[in-house]
mmCIF file of all heavy atoms in Angstrom:
data_model
loop_
_atom_site.group_PDB
_atom_site.id
_atom_site.type_symbol
_atom_site.label_atom_id
_atom_site.label_comp_id
_atom_site.label_asym_id
_atom_site.label_seq_id
_atom_site.Cartn_x
_atom_site.Cartn_y
_atom_site.Cartn_z
ATOM 1 N N VAL A 22 73.316 -0.253 189.672
ATOM 2 C CA VAL A 22 74.103 0.627 190.542
ATOM 3 C C VAL A 22 73.699 2.065 190.233
ATOM 4 O O VAL A 22 73.927 2.563 189.127
ATOM 5 C CB VAL A 22 75.616 0.442 190.321
ATOM 6 C CG1 VAL A 22 76.395 1.339 191.285
ATOM 7 C CG2 VAL A 22 76.017 -1.014 190.507
ATOM 8 N N ALA A 23 73.087 2.732 191.212
ATOM 9 C CA ALA A 23 72.622 4.104 191.015
ATOM 10 C C ALA A 23 73.782 5.089 191.066
ATOM 11 O O ALA A 23 74.888 4.761 191.514
ATOM 12 C CB ALA A 23 71.589 4.447 192.082
ATOM 13 N N VAL A 24 73.523 6.307 190.624
ATOM 14 C CA VAL A 24 74.563 7.342 190.598
ATOM 15 C C VAL A 24 75.120 7.595 191.991
ATOM 16 O O VAL A 24 76.329 7.771 192.173
ATOM 17 C CB VAL A 24 73.989 8.656 189.999
ATOM 18 C CG1 VAL A 24 74.984 9.802 190.176
ATOM 19 C CG2 VAL A 24 73.667 8.464 188.527
ATOM 20 N N GLU A 25 74.245 7.601 192.993
ATOM 21 C CA GLU A 25 74.669 7.944 194.344
ATOM 22 C C GLU A 25 75.215 6.745 195.119
ATOM 23 O O GLU A 25 75.611 6.879 196.274
ATOM 24 C CB GLU A 25 73.515 8.569 195.128
ATOM 25 C CG GLU A 25 72.359 7.629 195.431
ATOM 26 C CD GLU A 25 71.348 7.503 194.292
ATOM 27 O OE1 GLU A 25 71.601 8.074 193.201
ATOM 28 O OE2 GLU A 25 70.322 6.841 194.501
ATOM 29 N N GLN A 26 75.252 5.568 194.491
ATOM 30 C CA GLN A 26 75.754 4.356 195.132
ATOM 31 C C GLN A 26 77.153 4.008 194.658
ATOM 32 O O GLN A 26 77.534 4.326 193.531
ATOM 33 C CB GLN A 26 74.863 3.159 194.775
ATOM 34 C CG GLN A 26 73.640 2.932 195.610
ATOM 35 C CD GLN A 26 72.951 1.657 195.164
ATOM 36 O OE1 GLN A 26 72.697 1.448 193.966
ATOM 37 N NE2 GLN A 26 72.637 0.790 196.113
ATOM 38 N N THR A 27 77.902 3.295 195.503
ATOM 39 C CA THR A 27 79.100 2.622 195.020
ATOM 40 C C THR A 27 78.697 1.218 194.581
ATOM 41 O O THR A 27 77.645 0.699 194.990
ATOM 42 C CB THR A 27 80.179 2.516 196.108
ATOM 43 O OG1 THR A 27 79.704 1.649 197.153
ATOM 44 C CG2 THR A 27 80.520 3.885 196.677
ATOM 45 N N ALA A 28 79.520 0.614 193.752
ATOM 46 C CA ALA A 28 79.255 -0.766 193.341
ATOM 47 C C ALA A 28 79.210 -1.685 194.562
ATOM 48 O O ALA A 28 78.388 -2.603 194.638
ATOM 49 C CB ALA A 28 80.318 -1.230 192.350
ATOM 50 N N LEU A 29 80.083 -1.430 195.525
ATOM 51 C CA LEU A 29 80.124 -2.253 196.735
ATOM 52 C C LEU A 29 78.825 -2.151 197.521
ATOM 53 O O LEU A 29 78.291 -3.160 197.998
ATOM 54 C CB LEU A 29 81.307 -1.828 197.613
ATOM 55 C CG LEU A 29 81.530 -2.624 198.897
ATOM 56 C CD1 LEU A 29 81.797 -4.088 198.595
ATOM 57 C CD2 LEU A 29 82.687 -2.027 199.694
ATOM 58 N N GLU A 30 78.284 -0.951 197.637
ATOM 59 C CA GLU A 30 77.020 -0.772 198.350
ATOM 60 C C GLU A 30 75.896 -1.524 197.653
ATOM 61 O O GLU A 30 75.061 -2.156 198.305
ATOM 62 C CB GLU A 30 76.689 0.717 198.448
ATOM 63 C CG GLU A 30 77.586 1.483 199.416
ATOM 64 C CD GLU A 30 77.407 2.980 199.322
ATOM 65 O OE1 GLU A 30 76.867 3.466 198.299
ATOM 66 O OE2 GLU A 30 77.813 3.683 200.259
ATOM 67 N N ALA A 31 75.877 -1.471 196.326
ATOM 68 C CA ALA A 31 74.834 -2.159 195.570
ATOM 69 C C ALA A 31 74.945 -3.674 195.738
ATOM 70 O O ALA A 31 73.941 -4.373 195.883
ATOM 71 C CB ALA A 31 74.922 -1.778 194.098
ATOM 72 N N ILE A 32 76.184 -4.169 195.730
ATOM 73 C CA ILE A 32 76.407 -5.616 195.909
ATOM 74 C C ILE A 32 75.949 -6.054 197.297
ATOM 75 O O ILE A 32 75.282 -7.076 197.460
ATOM 76 C CB ILE A 32 77.902 -5.949 195.691
ATOM 77 C CG1 ILE A 32 78.290 -5.718 194.229
ATOM 78 C CG2 ILE A 32 78.197 -7.391 196.100
ATOM 79 C CD1 ILE A 32 79.792 -5.743 193.979
ATOM 80 N N GLU A 33 76.297 -5.278 198.310
ATOM 81 C CA GLU A 33 75.893 -5.619 199.673
ATOM 82 C C GLU A 33 74.377 -5.551 199.842
ATOM 83 O O GLU A 33 73.781 -6.370 200.538
ATOM 84 C CB GLU A 33 76.590 -4.691 200.668
ATOM 85 C CG GLU A 33 78.080 -4.959 200.792
ATOM 86 C CD GLU A 33 78.720 -4.109 201.866
ATOM 87 O OE1 GLU A 33 78.314 -2.929 202.004
ATOM 88 O OE2 GLU A 33 79.621 -4.604 202.559
ATOM 89 N N ASP A 34 73.742 -4.554 199.210
ATOM 90 C CA ASP A 34 72.284 -4.429 199.287
ATOM 91 C C ASP A 34 71.594 -5.652 198.683
ATOM 92 O O ASP A 34 70.466 -5.997 199.063
ATOM 93 C CB ASP A 34 71.808 -3.163 198.566
ATOM 94 C CG ASP A 34 72.140 -1.891 199.345
ATOM 95 O OD1 ASP A 34 72.514 -2.008 200.535
ATOM 96 O OD2 ASP A 34 72.045 -0.802 198.767
ATOM 97 N N ALA A 35 72.292 -6.306 197.734
ATOM 98 C CA ALA A 35 71.731 -7.501 197.099
ATOM 99 C C ALA A 35 71.986 -8.751 197.935
ATOM 100 O O ALA A 35 71.598 -9.857 197.547
ATOM 101 C CB ALA A 35 72.320 -7.675 195.703
ATOM 102 N N GLY A 36 72.654 -8.598 199.078
ATOM 103 C CA GLY A 36 72.873 -9.722 199.984
ATOM 104 C C GLY A 36 74.125 -10.523 199.719
ATOM 105 O O GLY A 36 74.295 -11.625 200.251
ATOM 106 N N VAL A 37 75.040 -9.977 198.915
ATOM 107 C CA VAL A 37 76.290 -10.667 198.597
ATOM 108 C C VAL A 37 77.420 -10.024 199.397
ATOM 109 O O VAL A 37 77.570 -8.799 199.413
ATOM 110 C CB VAL A 37 76.609 -10.606 197.088
ATOM 111 C CG1 VAL A 37 77.940 -11.284 196.790
ATOM 112 C CG2 VAL A 37 75.485 -11.260 196.287
ATOM 113 N N THR A 38 78.203 -10.848 200.061
ATOM 114 C CA THR A 38 79.290 -10.355 200.905
ATOM 115 C C THR A 38 80.593 -10.270 200.123
ATOM 116 O O THR A 38 80.971 -11.204 199.414
ATOM 117 C CB THR A 38 79.497 -11.267 202.125
ATOM 118 O OG1 THR A 38 78.279 -11.319 202.878
ATOM 119 C CG2 THR A 38 80.613 -10.750 203.016
ATOM 120 N N VAL A 39 81.272 -9.146 200.250
ATOM 121 C CA VAL A 39 82.576 -8.932 199.617
ATOM 122 C C VAL A 39 83.569 -8.557 200.708
ATOM 123 O O VAL A 39 83.252 -7.733 201.581
ATOM 124 C CB VAL A 39 82.515 -7.801 198.562
ATOM 125 C CG1 VAL A 39 83.891 -7.562 197.949
ATOM 126 C CG2 VAL A 39 81.510 -8.130 197.480
ATOM 127 N N ASP A 40 84.754 -9.160 200.697
ATOM 128 C CA ASP A 40 85.793 -8.746 201.633
ATOM 129 C C ASP A 40 86.093 -7.272 201.410
ATOM 130 O O ASP A 40 86.232 -6.827 200.269
ATOM 131 C CB ASP A 40 87.076 -9.556 201.416
ATOM 132 C CG ASP A 40 86.945 -10.980 201.931
ATOM 133 O OD1 ASP A 40 86.063 -11.223 202.768
ATOM 134 O OD2 ASP A 40 87.719 -11.845 201.471
ATOM 135 N N MET A 41 86.195 -6.529 202.490
ATOM 136 C CA MET A 41 86.503 -5.108 202.342
ATOM 137 C C MET A 41 87.254 -4.636 203.563
ATOM 138 O O MET A 41 87.262 -5.296 204.605
ATOM 139 C CB MET A 41 85.230 -4.289 202.157
ATOM 140 C CG MET A 41 84.282 -4.323 203.347
ATOM 141 S SD MET A 41 82.901 -3.214 203.114
ATOM 142 C CE MET A 41 82.016 -3.490 204.659
ATOM 143 N N SER A 42 87.888 -3.480 203.435
ATOM 144 C CA SER A 42 88.622 -2.930 204.563
ATOM 145 C C SER A 42 88.549 -1.410 204.555
ATOM 146 O O SER A 42 87.761 -0.819 205.263
ATOM 147 C CB SER A 42 90.074 -3.411 204.525
ATOM 148 O OG SER A 42 90.781 -2.927 205.631
ATOM 149 N N CYS A 43 89.316 -0.761 203.679
ATOM 150 C CA CYS A 43 89.439 0.694 203.760
ATOM 151 C C CYS A 43 88.243 1.436 203.172
ATOM 152 O O CYS A 43 87.937 2.544 203.580
ATOM 153 C CB CYS A 43 90.709 1.159 203.062
ATOM 154 S SG CYS A 43 90.653 1.047 201.248
ATOM 155 N N GLU A 44 87.558 0.833 202.167
ATOM 156 C CA GLU A 44 86.442 1.456 201.452
ATOM 157 C C GLU A 44 86.852 2.753 200.758
ATOM 158 O O GLU A 44 86.007 3.598 200.451
ATOM 159 C CB GLU A 44 85.267 1.717 202.390
ATOM 160 C CG GLU A 44 84.694 0.463 203.033
ATOM 161 C CD GLU A 44 83.524 0.755 203.944
ATOM 162 O OE1 GLU A 44 82.471 1.157 203.419
ATOM 163 O OE2 GLU A 44 83.678 0.603 205.162
ATOM 164 N N MET A 45 88.141 2.918 200.484
ATOM 165 C CA MET A 45 88.635 4.141 199.856
ATOM 166 C C MET A 45 89.530 3.869 198.657
ATOM 167 O O MET A 45 90.136 4.784 198.117
ATOM 168 C CB MET A 45 89.402 4.994 200.882
ATOM 169 C CG MET A 45 88.548 5.522 202.008
ATOM 170 S SD MET A 45 89.465 6.603 203.136
ATOM 171 C CE MET A 45 90.522 5.417 203.973
ATOM 172 N N GLY A 46 89.655 2.598 198.249
ATOM 173 C CA GLY A 46 90.458 2.301 197.077
ATOM 174 C C GLY A 46 91.943 2.251 197.317
ATOM 175 O O GLY A 46 92.724 2.462 196.391
ATOM 176 N N ILE A 47 92.337 1.951 198.546
ATOM 177 C CA ILE A 47 93.766 1.923 198.871
ATOM 178 C C ILE A 47 94.278 0.518 199.104
ATOM 179 O O ILE A 47 95.338 0.143 198.621
ATOM 180 C CB ILE A 47 94.045 2.761 200.143
ATOM 181 C CG1 ILE A 47 93.607 4.203 199.935
ATOM 182 C CG2 ILE A 47 95.527 2.713 200.511
ATOM 183 C CD1 ILE A 47 93.631 5.018 201.199
ATOM 184 N N CYS A 48 93.521 -0.280 199.861
ATOM 185 C CA CYS A 48 94.078 -1.534 200.385
ATOM 186 C C CYS A 48 93.964 -2.729 199.445
ATOM 187 O O CYS A 48 94.726 -3.680 199.547
ATOM 188 C CB CYS A 48 93.423 -1.872 201.712
ATOM 189 S SG CYS A 48 91.687 -2.388 201.573
ATOM 190 N N GLY A 49 92.997 -2.731 198.522
ATOM 191 C CA GLY A 49 92.831 -3.855 197.603
ATOM 192 C C GLY A 49 92.067 -5.020 198.173
ATOM 193 O O GLY A 49 91.934 -6.056 197.513
ATOM 194 N N ALA A 50 91.533 -4.909 199.396
ATOM 195 C CA ALA A 50 90.835 -6.038 200.011
ATOM 196 C C ALA A 50 89.610 -6.467 199.213
ATOM 197 O O ALA A 50 89.269 -7.645 199.155
ATOM 198 C CB ALA A 50 90.426 -5.686 201.441
ATOM 199 N N CYS A 51 88.930 -5.517 198.573
ATOM 200 C CA CYS A 51 87.698 -5.836 197.847
ATOM 201 C C CYS A 51 87.939 -6.135 196.368
ATOM 202 O O CYS A 51 86.980 -6.250 195.592
ATOM 203 C CB CYS A 51 86.684 -4.703 197.993
ATOM 204 S SG CYS A 51 87.179 -3.157 197.178
ATOM 205 N N LEU A 52 89.194 -6.255 195.950
ATOM 206 C CA LEU A 52 89.527 -6.459 194.539
ATOM 207 C C LEU A 52 88.745 -7.652 193.970
ATOM 208 O O LEU A 52 88.771 -8.746 194.532
ATOM 209 C CB LEU A 52 91.031 -6.709 194.400
ATOM 210 C CG LEU A 52 91.641 -6.528 193.015
ATOM 211 C CD1 LEU A 52 91.492 -5.090 192.541
ATOM 212 C CD2 LEU A 52 93.118 -6.911 193.048
ATOM 213 N N THR A 53 88.044 -7.425 192.868
ATOM 214 C CA THR A 53 87.125 -8.418 192.305
ATOM 215 C C THR A 53 87.428 -8.646 190.830
ATOM 216 O O THR A 53 87.602 -7.681 190.079
ATOM 217 C CB THR A 53 85.672 -7.917 192.455
ATOM 218 O OG1 THR A 53 85.401 -7.666 193.839
ATOM 219 C CG2 THR A 53 84.681 -8.938 191.913
ATOM 220 N N PRO A 54 87.484 -9.913 190.367
ATOM 221 C CA PRO A 54 87.749 -10.192 188.951
ATOM 222 C C PRO A 54 86.622 -9.675 188.052
ATOM 223 O O PRO A 54 85.441 -9.766 188.395
ATOM 224 C CB PRO A 54 87.831 -11.723 188.898
ATOM 225 C CG PRO A 54 88.131 -12.139 190.303
ATOM 226 C CD PRO A 54 87.432 -11.147 191.176
ATOM 227 N N VAL A 55 87.008 -9.128 186.915
ATOM 228 C CA VAL A 55 86.056 -8.651 185.908
ATOM 229 C C VAL A 55 86.079 -9.609 184.727
ATOM 230 O O VAL A 55 87.141 -9.909 184.175
ATOM 231 C CB VAL A 55 86.408 -7.219 185.439
ATOM 232 C CG1 VAL A 55 85.533 -6.805 184.258
ATOM 233 C CG2 VAL A 55 86.242 -6.241 186.589
ATOM 234 N N ILE A 56 84.902 -10.091 184.317
ATOM 235 C CA ILE A 56 84.800 -11.041 183.209
ATOM 236 C C ILE A 56 84.558 -10.321 181.893
ATOM 237 O O ILE A 56 85.129 -10.663 180.860
ATOM 238 C CB ILE A 56 83.663 -12.046 183.487
ATOM 239 C CG1 ILE A 56 83.997 -12.871 184.737
ATOM 240 C CG2 ILE A 56 83.450 -12.978 182.290
ATOM 241 C CD1 ILE A 56 82.844 -13.727 185.226
ATOM 242 N N ASP A 57 83.728 -9.278 181.932
ATOM 243 C CA ASP A 57 83.434 -8.534 180.703
ATOM 244 C C ASP A 57 83.033 -7.110 181.067
ATOM 245 O O ASP A 57 82.472 -6.856 182.140
ATOM 246 C CB ASP A 57 82.308 -9.221 179.917
ATOM 247 C CG ASP A 57 82.163 -8.649 178.511
ATOM 248 O OD1 ASP A 57 83.192 -8.500 177.834
ATOM 249 O OD2 ASP A 57 81.029 -8.346 178.108
ATOM 250 N N GLY A 58 83.328 -6.180 180.169
ATOM 251 C CA GLY A 58 83.071 -4.777 180.422
ATOM 252 C C GLY A 58 84.350 -4.043 180.765
ATOM 253 O O GLY A 58 85.404 -4.654 180.953
ATOM 254 N N VAL A 59 84.251 -2.720 180.815
ATOM 255 C CA VAL A 59 85.436 -1.890 181.078
ATOM 256 C C VAL A 59 85.228 -1.102 182.363
ATOM 257 O O VAL A 59 84.356 -0.221 182.426
ATOM 258 C CB VAL A 59 85.701 -0.919 179.906
ATOM 259 C CG1 VAL A 59 86.949 -0.085 180.189
ATOM 260 C CG2 VAL A 59 85.846 -1.681 178.597
ATOM 261 N N PRO A 60 86.009 -1.396 183.403
ATOM 262 C CA PRO A 60 85.870 -0.656 184.664
ATOM 263 C C PRO A 60 86.352 0.791 184.533
ATOM 264 O O PRO A 60 87.223 1.107 183.708
ATOM 265 C CB PRO A 60 86.776 -1.427 185.636
ATOM 266 C CG PRO A 60 87.065 -2.733 184.973
ATOM 267 C CD PRO A 60 87.000 -2.475 183.507
ATOM 268 N N ASP A 61 85.782 1.648 185.338
ATOM 269 C CA ASP A 61 86.264 3.020 185.495
ATOM 270 C C ASP A 61 87.097 3.025 186.774
ATOM 271 O O ASP A 61 86.590 3.227 187.870
ATOM 272 C CB ASP A 61 85.073 3.971 185.606
ATOM 273 C CG ASP A 61 85.497 5.431 185.774
ATOM 274 O OD1 ASP A 61 86.714 5.706 185.708
ATOM 275 O OD2 ASP A 61 84.619 6.283 185.985
ATOM 276 N N HIS A 62 88.387 2.776 186.630
ATOM 277 C CA HIS A 62 89.269 2.597 187.788
ATOM 278 C C HIS A 62 89.472 3.918 188.527
ATOM 279 O O HIS A 62 89.936 4.900 187.955
ATOM 280 C CB HIS A 62 90.628 2.055 187.343
ATOM 281 C CG HIS A 62 90.556 0.704 186.716
ATOM 282 N ND1 HIS A 62 90.297 -0.444 187.426
ATOM 283 C CD2 HIS A 62 90.712 0.308 185.413
ATOM 284 C CE1 HIS A 62 90.296 -1.489 186.615
ATOM 285 N NE2 HIS A 62 90.547 -1.057 185.394
ATOM 286 N N ARG A 63 89.163 3.915 189.831
ATOM 287 C CA ARG A 63 89.323 5.123 190.647
ATOM 288 C C ARG A 63 90.116 4.853 191.918
ATOM 289 O O ARG A 63 90.080 5.629 192.863
ATOM 290 C CB ARG A 63 87.948 5.701 191.001
ATOM 291 C CG ARG A 63 87.112 6.039 189.771
ATOM 292 C CD ARG A 63 85.812 6.703 190.138
ATOM 293 N NE ARG A 63 85.028 7.008 188.946
ATOM 294 C CZ ARG A 63 83.901 7.712 188.956
ATOM 295 N NH1 ARG A 63 83.440 8.186 190.105
ATOM 296 N NH2 ARG A 63 83.242 7.936 187.841
#
């Protein structure tokens, strides 16, 4: 995931589909389970 990319953009570029709606961090449609690592919640 590059600096100028969102994680969602990188995932989509890799051909993986994620449910999404607002793309602004409000609706929770794209909420994805994390197995390991620490997210930077925004």
Side-chain angles (χ1 to χ4, degrees):
V22 182
V24 171
E25 67 276 6
Q26 275 184 310
T27 66
L29 182 61
E30 289 170 342
I32 293 168
E33 289 185 323
D34 287 347
V37 178
T38 301
V39 178
D40 286 340
M41 63 174 180
S42 182
C43 72
E44 299 181 68
M45 295 184 289
I47 301 170
C48 71
C51 67
L52 198 63
T53 303
V55 172
I56 297 171
D57 191 47
V59 181
D61 180 5
H62 297 288
R63 302 184 180 187

